[in-house]
Amino acid sequence: MLSYVIRRVLLLIPMMLGIVVILFGLMRLIPGDPAVVLLGQDATPQAIAQMHHALGLDRPLIVQLGIYIAHLAVGDLGRSIFQHDPVSQIVLVHLSATVELTVTALFLAIVIGLPLGIVAAVRQGSVIDMANMVFAQLGVSMPVFWLGILLMFWFAVLLGWLPAFGRGAPLLQAIAAALSGHPQVLVDSLRHLAMPAFALGLNGAAFISRITRSSMLDVLHEDYIRTALAKGLTGWKVVYHHTLRNAFLPIISVIGLQFGTLLGGAVLTETIFSWPGVGRLAVGAISQRDYPLLQGTVLVIALLFSLVNLAVDLLYALIDPRIRFD
Amino acid sequence: MKRLVKLVAVLGLIAFIAGLTAGDWVTPAQAQQAEVSVLRVGTDVDAGTLDPRLEQDTTAYRVTNLIYDGLVQLDAKLQPQPDLAVSWKNPDPKTWIFQLRSGVKFQDGTPVTAEDVVYTFQTMLDPNFGAPHRGLYTPIEKVEAIDAHTVKFTLKQPYAPLLSYLDLGIVPKHVAEKEGQNFGSHPIGSGPFKLVRWDKASKIVLEANPDFWGGEPQFIKKIEVDVVPDNTARAQALEAGDLDLIQSPLSPQDVKRLAKDKRFTTVQMTGTGYTYLNFNTKDPILSDVKVRQALAMLVDQKTIVDQIYQGIDKAATSILLPGSWAYTDTIKQPSYDPQRAKALLAQEGWKDTNGDGILDKNGKKLSIVLSTHSEDPNRIQVVEYLQNIFKQNGIDSTVNISDWPSFIANVQDGKYQIALLGWLNLVDPDRAMYNQLHTGGGFNWGGYSNPQVDQLLDKGRTASSQDERAKAYREAAKIIAEEVPYYILTYQGYQVIYTTALKGFVPNSLGMLRSLVHASLGGP
């Protein structure tokens, strides 16, 4: 097990290197560069040339890449061309916001999606099942920017219950503050988190409920379930111990994938609710051709994505004792 | 189920590690206490930097205008008014001498001196410093301190628009030198508000400067600039009471809805920018002025303004902005007339000889590519609508839409036929025309060249009286309207919507918020 984990972690190094090289090449293949964006339309060709020199963009590509990798090797992600701050600092701040939103959204998705899926599978063809199917269809197909604006209209404009945008204190600090006698900090934090997390989590909930339902149905038709029921075990015991446990692998895969997708793909939610996350950061970096910032952001997201995948693979072994890693 | 708990625990751990890296918090109770004197302003993008020399986005302009003082401030009519400079002299066309206000202090307590002014402009002019707007200042040959409160600018040639650009924020030399690249995140100026907190991508918090030379702002003690990127979300946040003031860019339908809402004051005025079609006069087809005129006659300006811009931007008549002292309504661009357009094209030899419905000449089809950038949905609609009209009139037209950096890089390289884009912050006609349309001008991407226009633009730049300048610009604008290197589509509108509780705020078409110094947030 340990050697497996070490192998997987070591494999990350060439993978990250590959990502850097591909990203580096792609960004430079598309027309337009940071000098052009930085100087805007009011740029003379001389000014652009000077800016290229100042940014080191006039050196051969291979030299630029070499310098970047050399800095990367000592943990230096460089400085953002537009924000002038170190990339690592910018990415970390945004990452904490994204992880907080993603984890909360995923939590909501699991809490809503899993029970719905289980009930739908057990009561296949019932009204609950039908309602669940409708919910899943809606949840998967409803665009988040529309849902977001709608939620905001109801809960912020009409009812005035929740703040329309922004982030409160970081959740973990808010919890710490609540423990030290400032519960209002936590309340504020949660109120800010509620709408974006729900908007983001709904899609995941729909997805998870569908996968749970179909995966449960597969297992429910196995012979050993019939045997268990024949032995006289009660229905819910069978559902939990025999069915859910065996149906769990695909569900875990989907949850892991969802987590990864949400990490980098929450751009629309982040934009609608002004959540300062990495999705918006990456898109902004692309549209400004902020090479170091984009490279740093993508690297960190990719790293996190890979670690989550590794965690999911390890979870398989925990859940299903038949799976062994060596 | 136990497994699920474990999964959540793993995810929670990741969140915990990430959460440790974030900053400190303000309790809602603290925020509420001060609410009466806090003004919350919504903006579309975060400032890239708060160093006025490096700024580039509107948020940075508006915020640095509160943190720093310039030698001058531009008033609502864009006329320069004394700020750090109390007076100025222009002994000869190439010399300007500024007398600085005495007793002014930076927010760190050090006095503002002529050395700081010299340093600000010297760094601005240094090519290696990388100031985006350096080009506006390059006619300056040198800046010297005569004494602690007198600064002398020597120009390479007379440069009439100079004063309009001297609203550039003056930075403290000792701090900017020490901080280097970090100065933009830790700005120090001498303006009415100072930075107390900046959560990147989220909010900028400013506090009244008790030592401001004009007196500490009395009523508004704190300004919170909140980044809400989505236009509709920003409008809803104002309606929800989470913001007090929002400004362009806004969606036309939101402006219309909020204008009817009694809780808010809506002010709409002509801004300082125009949206235009740039014709590449080096293109084999478009080098013919008659063809450019014919294509301009196919621009259905009224429908575009009424339907796409919903009247928020106004139909333009020439390159001169309505708010400018040089404006005249007597200039006319070719008006929408497909019949005349076709006749004019036929006159130039563009006829459908092979009956395929597309005009041709010497065996070549009349093909036009219309380009714009993907960030502005209105502009995409405009080029698609134009493509439609062009096609109906026998022109083989295609649309090319790419993101801003790709688009502008191609345009700057002259790789386009007709491009739809805009110019902003045109505080002086020189800024709207000189580099754009002078032969060899820095932004003359379409290679337009007319010696008469060159002469008039030179005259506008060097003449000392405003009347003389206005006359030159009007003549130049008339020729430009006739020869169509630019077809000016709209004058961009500027809108600001704010709570009626805000009293004493004077909107300014550049979106500057300086008048908040004397404004108050009274009862409704």
Side-chain angles (χ1 to χ4, degrees):
Chain A
M1 180 86 162
L2 189 65
S3 70
Y4 173 78
V5 173
I6 292 172
R7 257 203 336 267
R8 283 280 300 259
V9 170
L10 284 178
L11 250 163
L12 285 178
I13 296 169
M15 204 177 84
M16 292 294 127
L17 219 57
I19 289 173
V20 169
V21 174
I22 291 171
L23 200 63
F24 196 90
L26 277 181
M27 280 302 281
R28 278 146 180 91
L29 272 181
I30 41 177
D33 64 49
V36 167
V37 183
L38 196 62
L39 295 171
Q41 298 178 66
D42 309 24
T44 55
Q46 303 93 295
I48 292 177
Q50 270 158 357
M51 185 62 82
H52 279 158
H53 182 71
L55 294 173
L57 296 173
D58 54 348
R59 297 188 216 180
L61 272 188
I62 192 78
V63 176
Q64 291 181 43
L65 180 64
I67 292 173
Y68 185 73
I69 292 176
H71 280 110
L72 201 60
V74 292
D76 177 10
L77 290 175
R79 255 175 200 270
S80 158
I81 294 171
F82 287 80
Q83 302 185 26
H84 308 276
D85 287 331
V87 168
S88 49
Q89 192 184 320
I90 300 172
V91 174
L92 269 184
V93 169
H94 284 76
L95 192 66
S96 86
T98 287
V99 170
E100 178 180 315
L101 178 63
T102 307
V103 170
T104 316
L106 199 63
F107 176 75
L108 285 178
I110 295 170
V111 166
I112 299 170
L114 202 61
L116 271 181
I118 295 171
V119 174
V122 175
R123 301 266 180 272
Q124 193 193 358
S126 70
V127 179
I128 294 176
D129 187 23
M130 298 291 267
N132 177 49
M133 297 272 270
V134 171
F135 163 77
Q137 200 58 43
L138 270 180
V140 170
S141 55
M142 185 148 35
V144 69
F145 56 86
W146 185 68
L147 177 67
I149 291 285
L150 217 58
L151 286 175
M152 198 185 284
F153 181 67
W154 287 332
F155 294 103
V157 179
L158 285 187
L159 298 170
W161 291 352
L162 297 169
F165 66 90
R167 185 186 183 205
L171 194 57
L172 294 161
Q173 291 183 17
I175 293 170
L179 293 177
S180 61
H182 298 284
Q184 74 277 20
V185 178
L186 182 60
V187 172
D188 180 62
S189 211
L190 291 175
R191 287 179 69 230
H192 279 97
L193 194 55
M195 281 199 289
F198 183 75
L200 192 61
L202 192 69
N203 183 288
F207 209 43
I208 290 171
S209 84
R210 281 175 67 162
I211 286 290
T212 307
R213 178 179 178 276
S214 65
S215 177
M216 287 278 290
L217 281 178
D218 283 348
V219 181
L220 278 172
H221 291 122
E222 294 282 343
D223 289 343
Y224 62 83
I225 299 294
R226 197 164 358 113
T227 312
L229 289 170
K231 278 196 303 189
L233 288 175
T234 57
W236 285 111
K237 217 166 194 173
V238 177
V239 170
Y240 278 119
H241 289 279
H242 296 80
T243 319
L244 188 57
R245 192 159 193 176
N246 283 300
F248 227 57
L249 288 191
I251 302 174
I252 289 284
S253 313
V254 165
I255 292 176
L257 274 177
Q258 277 282 323
F259 185 69
T261 317
L262 292 183
L263 266 186
V267 185
L268 289 174
T269 316
E270 289 175 2
T271 304
I272 298 285
F273 293 103
S274 321
W275 195 266
V278 279
R280 241 172 83 200
L281 186 69
V283 170
I286 295 171
S287 65
Q288 291 183 317
R289 305 286 190 269
D290 194 335
Y291 298 150
L293 184 57
L294 182 75
Q295 280 155 198
T297 310
V298 172
L299 264 185
V300 173
I301 296 178
L303 187 67
L304 207 59
F305 192 102
S306 311
L307 290 177
V308 169
N309 266 338
L310 178 60
V312 169
D313 286 352
L314 296 178
L315 268 181
Y316 283 168
L318 278 177
I319 289 166
D320 190 341
R322 286 168 300 182
I323 297 176
R324 290 268 178 276
F325 299 111
D326 30 46
Chain B
M1 227 39 190
K2 251 195 266 167
R3 313 299 179 200
L4 191 65
V5 174
K6 274 187 192 161
L7 173 72
V8 174
V10 170
L11 300 180
L13 188 69
I14 299 172
F16 181 72
I17 295 162
L20 289 177
T21 59
D24 58 345
W25 67 83
V26 180
T27 67
Q30 281 170 327
Q32 258 159 19
Q33 269 173 9
E35 204 160 74
V36 209
S37 52
V38 179
L39 184 84
R40 294 154 306 165
V41 177
T43 190
D44 59 330
V45 288
D46 192 15
T49 170
L50 290 178
D51 183 335
R53 299 165 296 170
L54 293 171
E55 69 194 0
Q56 202 215 10
D57 50 273
T58 46
T59 305
Y61 274 107
R62 291 164 183 176
V63 173
T64 55
N65 181 248
L66 293 169
I67 299 177
Y68 300 87
D69 289 317
L71 285 175
V72 304
Q73 281 287 327
L74 299 182
D75 65 11
K77 289 192 174 131
L78 306 179
Q79 299 284 352
Q81 300 297 339
D83 196 19
L84 275 182
V86 278
S87 64
W88 48 85
K89 287 186 297 196
N90 188 198
D92 66 79
K94 293 206 271 185
T95 312
W96 287 83
I97 295 169
F98 293 86
Q99 191 62 43
L100 300 186
R101 197 177 292 279
S102 55
V104 181
K105 281 184 179 154
F106 282 114
Q107 287 148 8
D108 67 347
T110 56
V112 179
T113 67
E115 281 304 328
D116 298 304
V117 178
V118 172
Y119 172 77
T120 303
F121 285 94
Q122 272 173 354
T123 44
M124 191 75 198
L125 284 167
D126 176 3
N128 293 320
F129 187 70
H133 295 294
R134 176 173 171 264
L136 295 178
Y137 303 91
T138 42
I140 299 172
E141 191 177 349
K142 61 180 181 213
V143 185
E144 305 153 280
I146 306 239
D147 60 48
H149 290 99
T150 315
V151 184
K152 181 173 152 197
F153 284 68
T154 310
L155 309 181
K156 293 172 193 158
Q157 66 264 349
Y159 186 49
L162 179 71
L163 269 184
S164 304
Y165 306 143
L166 295 186
D167 59 342
L168 175 72
I170 301 301
V171 303
K173 183 182 179 188
H174 64 286
V175 184
E177 266 182 349
K178 198 180 89 200
E179 293 272 352
Q181 282 196 307
N182 296 324
F183 182 69
S185 298
H186 305 97
I188 290 196
S190 55
F193 289 88
K194 55 183 180 180
L195 181 79
V196 284
R197 184 186 164 100
W198 185 4
D199 298 340
K200 297 275 167 98
S202 188
K203 69 172 125 195
I204 299 170
V205 184
L206 305 174
E207 209 173 67
N209 173 10
D211 303 323
F212 179 52
W213 58 266
E216 179 183 359
Q218 288 255 299
F219 307 105
I220 294 180
K221 294 293 180 193
K222 215 175 202 186
I223 297 176
E224 196 179 295
V225 179
D226 291 299
V227 183
V228 185
D230 186 79
N231 288 350
T232 298
R234 198 157 62 253
Q236 288 202 350
L238 179 76
E239 288 178 280
D242 291 332
L243 289 175
D244 302 311
L245 185 151
I246 57 176
Q247 333 175 56
S248 320
L250 294 167
S251 305
Q253 60 270 28
D254 292 328
V255 176
K256 284 188 167 170
R257 187 179 72 249
L258 290 167
K260 290 188 213 128
D261 197 321
K262 293 265 183 296
R263 294 173 295 163
F264 308 110
T265 308
T266 302
V267 178
Q268 300 191 49
M269 53 172 88
T270 317
T272 51
Y274 57 72
T275 302
Y276 72 105
L277 292 164
N278 187 319
F279 288 80
N280 188 344
T281 64
K282 280 186 188 154
D283 180 79
I285 294 172
L286 298 174
S287 57
D288 183 344
V289 60
K290 291 275 176 3
V291 172
R292 295 203 299 270
Q293 286 168 346
L295 293 177
M297 285 172 198
L298 292 176
V299 179
D300 183 2
Q301 195 186 22
K302 188 170 166 13
T303 307
I304 291 169
V305 169
D306 291 349
Q307 301 300 319
I308 299 176
Y309 290 98
Q310 299 191 32
I312 295 289
D313 287 5
K314 305 291 177 206
T317 55
S318 78
I319 198 165
L320 301 171
L321 291 175
S324 163
W325 40 262
Y327 180 71
T328 167
D329 59 3
T330 56
I331 302 170
K332 295 274 176 286
Q333 301 183 106
S335 53
Y336 181 56
D337 191 343
Q339 293 308 320
R340 270 188 65 208
K342 275 194 132 160
L344 200 54
L345 286 172
Q347 196 187 315
E348 290 303 294
W350 292 102
K351 290 171 189 154
D352 183 11
T353 55
N354 55 8
D356 65 350
I358 293 167
L359 305 177
D360 53 75
K361 179 176 164 181
N362 306 331
K364 269 195 80 179
K365 281 200 255 182
L366 181 53
S367 301
I368 297 289
V369 180
L370 292 152
S371 330
T372 195
H373 59 101
S374 57
E375 287 82 356
D376 185 338
N378 291 335
R379 288 186 184 168
I380 296 175
Q381 279 189 48
V382 171
V383 292
E384 284 173 349
Y385 180 58
L386 287 179
Q387 178 193 27
N388 224 330
I389 306 179
F390 280 18
K391 276 190 170 162
Q392 281 169 18
N393 290 285
I395 298 164
D396 168 35
S397 71
T398 41
V399 158
N400 180 10
I401 293 161
S402 47
D403 77 344
W404 173 259
S406 313
F407 167 71
I408 197 68
N410 280 331
V411 171
Q412 286 173 341
D413 278 352
K415 291 182 201 149
Y416 71 103
Q417 283 185 296
I418 300 178
L420 176 67
L421 64 167
W423 285 106
L424 291 170
N425 294 328
L426 305 172
V427 293
D428 189 283
D430 182 80
R431 192 153 173 196
M433 297 158 84
Y434 193 90
N435 281 307
Q436 287 88 337
L437 294 160
H438 196 286
T439 304
F443 329 139
N444 188 352
W445 310 306
Y448 176 68
S449 175
N450 179 333
Q452 207 187 338
V453 171
D454 292 351
Q455 214 182 4
L456 289 165
L457 293 181
D458 285 332
K459 196 172 161 206
R461 181 168 261 209
T462 52
S464 49
S465 90
Q466 204 167 70
D467 284 348
E468 260 181 283
R469 296 189 67 206
K471 211 168 142 245
Y473 286 126
R474 283 175 196 151
E475 275 180 55
K478 193 157 171 279
I479 300 172
I480 291 160
E482 275 164 19
E483 298 196 337
V484 219
Y486 272 26
Y487 175 90
I488 314 297
L489 191 61
T490 70
Y491 296 131
Q492 296 177 5
Y494 165 75
Q495 309 93 40
V496 54
I497 308 175
Y498 52 93
T499 163
T500 46
L502 179 63
K503 310 278 189 221
F505 168 65
V506 186
N508 152 316
S509 59
L510 285 167
M512 297 305 188
L513 301 170
R514 267 257 169 166
S515 63
L516 289 176
V517 174
H518 304 295
S520 69
L521 267 173

PDB file of all heavy atoms in Angstrom, chain B residues 25 117 153 193 200 209 215 242 344 350 368 402 448 474:
ATOM      1  N   TRP B  25     -10.587  38.405   9.583  1.00  0.00           N
ATOM      2  CA  TRP B  25     -11.973  38.735   9.266  1.00  0.00           C
ATOM      3  C   TRP B  25     -12.435  39.983  10.010  1.00  0.00           C
ATOM      4  O   TRP B  25     -11.856  40.412  10.995  1.00  0.00           O
ATOM      5  CB  TRP B  25     -12.879  37.557   9.621  1.00  0.00           C
ATOM      6  CG  TRP B  25     -12.956  37.308  11.094  1.00  0.00           C
ATOM      7  CD1 TRP B  25     -13.759  37.943  11.988  1.00  0.00           C
ATOM      8  CD2 TRP B  25     -12.163  36.389  11.843  1.00  0.00           C
ATOM      9  NE1 TRP B  25     -13.528  37.474  13.246  1.00  0.00           N
ATOM     10  CE2 TRP B  25     -12.559  36.524  13.203  1.00  0.00           C
ATOM     11  CE3 TRP B  25     -11.168  35.474  11.517  1.00  0.00           C
ATOM     12  CZ2 TRP B  25     -11.973  35.774  14.218  1.00  0.00           C
ATOM     13  CZ3 TRP B  25     -10.606  34.736  12.538  1.00  0.00           C
ATOM     14  CH2 TRP B  25     -11.006  34.888  13.858  1.00  0.00           C
ATOM     15  N   VAL B 117       6.983  64.834  -7.618  1.00  0.00           N
ATOM     16  CA  VAL B 117       6.372  65.057  -8.935  1.00  0.00           C
ATOM     17  C   VAL B 117       7.369  64.648 -10.021  1.00  0.00           C
ATOM     18  O   VAL B 117       7.028  63.921 -10.960  1.00  0.00           O
ATOM     19  CB  VAL B 117       5.955  66.533  -9.099  1.00  0.00           C
ATOM     20  CG1 VAL B 117       5.362  66.763 -10.487  1.00  0.00           C
ATOM     21  CG2 VAL B 117       4.964  66.928  -8.019  1.00  0.00           C
ATOM     22  N   PHE B 153       8.180  71.670 -16.558  1.00  0.00           N
ATOM     23  CA  PHE B 153       8.102  70.681 -17.639  1.00  0.00           C
ATOM     24  C   PHE B 153       8.644  71.326 -18.906  1.00  0.00           C
ATOM     25  O   PHE B 153       8.201  72.399 -19.285  1.00  0.00           O
ATOM     26  CB  PHE B 153       6.649  70.276 -17.911  1.00  0.00           C
ATOM     27  CG  PHE B 153       6.058  69.337 -16.904  1.00  0.00           C
ATOM     28  CD1 PHE B 153       5.811  69.751 -15.598  1.00  0.00           C
ATOM     29  CD2 PHE B 153       5.729  68.031 -17.250  1.00  0.00           C
ATOM     30  CE1 PHE B 153       5.244  68.880 -14.663  1.00  0.00           C
ATOM     31  CE2 PHE B 153       5.167  67.156 -16.331  1.00  0.00           C
ATOM     32  CZ  PHE B 153       4.931  67.582 -15.033  1.00  0.00           C
ATOM     33  N   PHE B 193      -8.861  59.708   0.453  1.00  0.00           N
ATOM     34  CA  PHE B 193      -9.093  58.399   1.067  1.00  0.00           C
ATOM     35  C   PHE B 193      -7.816  57.569   1.000  1.00  0.00           C
ATOM     36  O   PHE B 193      -7.029  57.721   0.071  1.00  0.00           O
ATOM     37  CB  PHE B 193     -10.236  57.659   0.356  1.00  0.00           C
ATOM     38  CG  PHE B 193     -11.583  58.260   0.628  1.00  0.00           C
ATOM     39  CD1 PHE B 193     -12.069  59.286  -0.182  1.00  0.00           C
ATOM     40  CD2 PHE B 193     -12.343  57.839   1.707  1.00  0.00           C
ATOM     41  CE1 PHE B 193     -13.308  59.870   0.085  1.00  0.00           C
ATOM     42  CE2 PHE B 193     -13.581  58.412   1.973  1.00  0.00           C
ATOM     43  CZ  PHE B 193     -14.067  59.431   1.168  1.00  0.00           C
ATOM     44  N   LYS B 200      -7.873  40.712  -2.709  1.00  0.00           N
ATOM     45  CA  LYS B 200      -7.813  40.626  -4.161  1.00  0.00           C
ATOM     46  C   LYS B 200      -8.992  39.847  -4.732  1.00  0.00           C
ATOM     47  O   LYS B 200      -9.436  38.877  -4.140  1.00  0.00           O
ATOM     48  CB  LYS B 200      -6.495  39.975  -4.597  1.00  0.00           C
ATOM     49  CG  LYS B 200      -5.243  40.766  -4.205  1.00  0.00           C
ATOM     50  CD  LYS B 200      -4.883  41.847  -5.214  1.00  0.00           C
ATOM     51  CE  LYS B 200      -3.850  42.803  -4.680  1.00  0.00           C
ATOM     52  NZ  LYS B 200      -2.484  42.541  -5.076  1.00  0.00           N
ATOM     53  N   ASN B 209      -9.112  60.080   4.847  1.00  0.00           N
ATOM     54  CA  ASN B 209      -7.770  60.503   5.243  1.00  0.00           C
ATOM     55  C   ASN B 209      -7.886  61.744   6.132  1.00  0.00           C
ATOM     56  O   ASN B 209      -8.249  62.821   5.656  1.00  0.00           O
ATOM     57  CB  ASN B 209      -6.970  60.817   3.963  1.00  0.00           C
ATOM     58  CG  ASN B 209      -5.610  61.423   4.252  1.00  0.00           C
ATOM     59  OD1 ASN B 209      -5.162  61.447   5.402  1.00  0.00           O
ATOM     60  ND2 ASN B 209      -4.960  61.927   3.208  1.00  0.00           N
ATOM     61  N   GLY B 215      -9.324  68.951   3.759  1.00  0.00           N
ATOM     62  CA  GLY B 215     -10.169  68.655   4.926  1.00  0.00           C
ATOM     63  C   GLY B 215     -10.644  67.220   4.884  1.00  0.00           C
ATOM     64  O   GLY B 215     -10.978  66.711   3.823  1.00  0.00           O
ATOM     65  N   ASP B 242     -27.325  45.535  -0.873  1.00  0.00           N
ATOM     66  CA  ASP B 242     -25.953  45.152  -0.520  1.00  0.00           C
ATOM     67  C   ASP B 242     -24.920  46.074  -1.157  1.00  0.00           C
ATOM     68  O   ASP B 242     -23.722  45.972  -0.870  1.00  0.00           O
ATOM     69  CB  ASP B 242     -25.680  43.703  -0.942  1.00  0.00           C
ATOM     70  CG  ASP B 242     -26.478  42.715  -0.088  1.00  0.00           C
ATOM     71  OD1 ASP B 242     -26.769  43.076   1.075  1.00  0.00           O
ATOM     72  OD2 ASP B 242     -26.812  41.631  -0.560  1.00  0.00           O
ATOM     73  N   LEU B 344     -23.089  53.088 -55.930  1.00  0.00           N
ATOM     74  CA  LEU B 344     -21.697  53.523 -55.768  1.00  0.00           C
ATOM     75  C   LEU B 344     -20.725  52.369 -56.039  1.00  0.00           C
ATOM     76  O   LEU B 344     -19.693  52.544 -56.704  1.00  0.00           O
ATOM     77  CB  LEU B 344     -21.515  54.045 -54.342  1.00  0.00           C
ATOM     78  CG  LEU B 344     -20.331  54.959 -54.060  1.00  0.00           C
ATOM     79  CD1 LEU B 344     -20.311  56.140 -55.015  1.00  0.00           C
ATOM     80  CD2 LEU B 344     -20.389  55.451 -52.621  1.00  0.00           C
ATOM     81  N   TRP B 350     -17.910  47.138 -59.181  1.00  0.00           N
ATOM     82  CA  TRP B 350     -18.344  45.942 -58.455  1.00  0.00           C
ATOM     83  C   TRP B 350     -19.762  45.582 -58.891  1.00  0.00           C
ATOM     84  O   TRP B 350     -20.729  46.213 -58.480  1.00  0.00           O
ATOM     85  CB  TRP B 350     -18.287  46.163 -56.941  1.00  0.00           C
ATOM     86  CG  TRP B 350     -16.890  46.307 -56.424  1.00  0.00           C
ATOM     87  CD1 TRP B 350     -16.263  47.464 -56.092  1.00  0.00           C
ATOM     88  CD2 TRP B 350     -15.944  45.259 -56.193  1.00  0.00           C
ATOM     89  NE1 TRP B 350     -14.982  47.224 -55.663  1.00  0.00           N
ATOM     90  CE2 TRP B 350     -14.752  45.871 -55.714  1.00  0.00           C
ATOM     91  CE3 TRP B 350     -15.965  43.872 -56.351  1.00  0.00           C
ATOM     92  CZ2 TRP B 350     -13.609  45.133 -55.392  1.00  0.00           C
ATOM     93  CZ3 TRP B 350     -14.830  43.150 -56.022  1.00  0.00           C
ATOM     94  CH2 TRP B 350     -13.669  43.772 -55.551  1.00  0.00           C
ATOM     95  N   ILE B 368     -15.664  40.564 -47.653  1.00  0.00           N
ATOM     96  CA  ILE B 368     -15.306  41.406 -46.506  1.00  0.00           C
ATOM     97  C   ILE B 368     -15.375  40.574 -45.219  1.00  0.00           C
ATOM     98  O   ILE B 368     -16.356  39.882 -44.979  1.00  0.00           O
ATOM     99  CB  ILE B 368     -16.285  42.593 -46.367  1.00  0.00           C
ATOM    100  CG1 ILE B 368     -16.215  43.519 -47.593  1.00  0.00           C
ATOM    101  CG2 ILE B 368     -16.017  43.378 -45.089  1.00  0.00           C
ATOM    102  CD1 ILE B 368     -14.956  44.334 -47.717  1.00  0.00           C
ATOM    103  N   SER B 402     -12.790  36.694 -31.944  1.00  0.00           N
ATOM    104  CA  SER B 402     -11.825  36.006 -31.083  1.00  0.00           C
ATOM    105  C   SER B 402     -11.690  36.784 -29.783  1.00  0.00           C
ATOM    106  O   SER B 402     -12.232  37.878 -29.667  1.00  0.00           O
ATOM    107  CB  SER B 402     -10.475  35.906 -31.785  1.00  0.00           C
ATOM    108  OG  SER B 402     -10.131  37.145 -32.329  1.00  0.00           O
ATOM    109  N   TYR B 448      -4.202  54.773 -42.662  1.00  0.00           N
ATOM    110  CA  TYR B 448      -4.826  55.934 -43.299  1.00  0.00           C
ATOM    111  C   TYR B 448      -3.816  57.058 -43.409  1.00  0.00           C
ATOM    112  O   TYR B 448      -3.022  57.292 -42.493  1.00  0.00           O
ATOM    113  CB  TYR B 448      -6.029  56.384 -42.465  1.00  0.00           C
ATOM    114  CG  TYR B 448      -6.717  57.632 -42.968  1.00  0.00           C
ATOM    115  CD1 TYR B 448      -7.412  57.619 -44.169  1.00  0.00           C
ATOM    116  CD2 TYR B 448      -6.667  58.820 -42.250  1.00  0.00           C
ATOM    117  CE1 TYR B 448      -8.049  58.761 -44.634  1.00  0.00           C
ATOM    118  CE2 TYR B 448      -7.300  59.962 -42.706  1.00  0.00           C
ATOM    119  CZ  TYR B 448      -7.988  59.930 -43.910  1.00  0.00           C
ATOM    120  OH  TYR B 448      -8.611  61.061 -44.359  1.00  0.00           O
ATOM    121  N   ARG B 474     -12.417  70.249 -36.026  1.00  0.00           N
ATOM    122  CA  ARG B 474     -13.674  70.155 -36.778  1.00  0.00           C
ATOM    123  C   ARG B 474     -13.393  69.888 -38.248  1.00  0.00           C
ATOM    124  O   ARG B 474     -14.050  69.067 -38.879  1.00  0.00           O
ATOM    125  CB  ARG B 474     -14.483  71.434 -36.617  1.00  0.00           C
ATOM    126  CG  ARG B 474     -15.175  71.483 -35.275  1.00  0.00           C
ATOM    127  CD  ARG B 474     -15.883  72.794 -35.038  1.00  0.00           C
ATOM    128  NE  ARG B 474     -16.173  72.906 -33.619  1.00  0.00           N
ATOM    129  CZ  ARG B 474     -16.271  74.055 -32.965  1.00  0.00           C
ATOM    130  NH1 ARG B 474     -16.093  75.193 -33.600  1.00  0.00           N
ATOM    131  NH2 ARG B 474     -16.537  74.063 -31.683  1.00  0.00           N
TER     132      ARG B 474
END
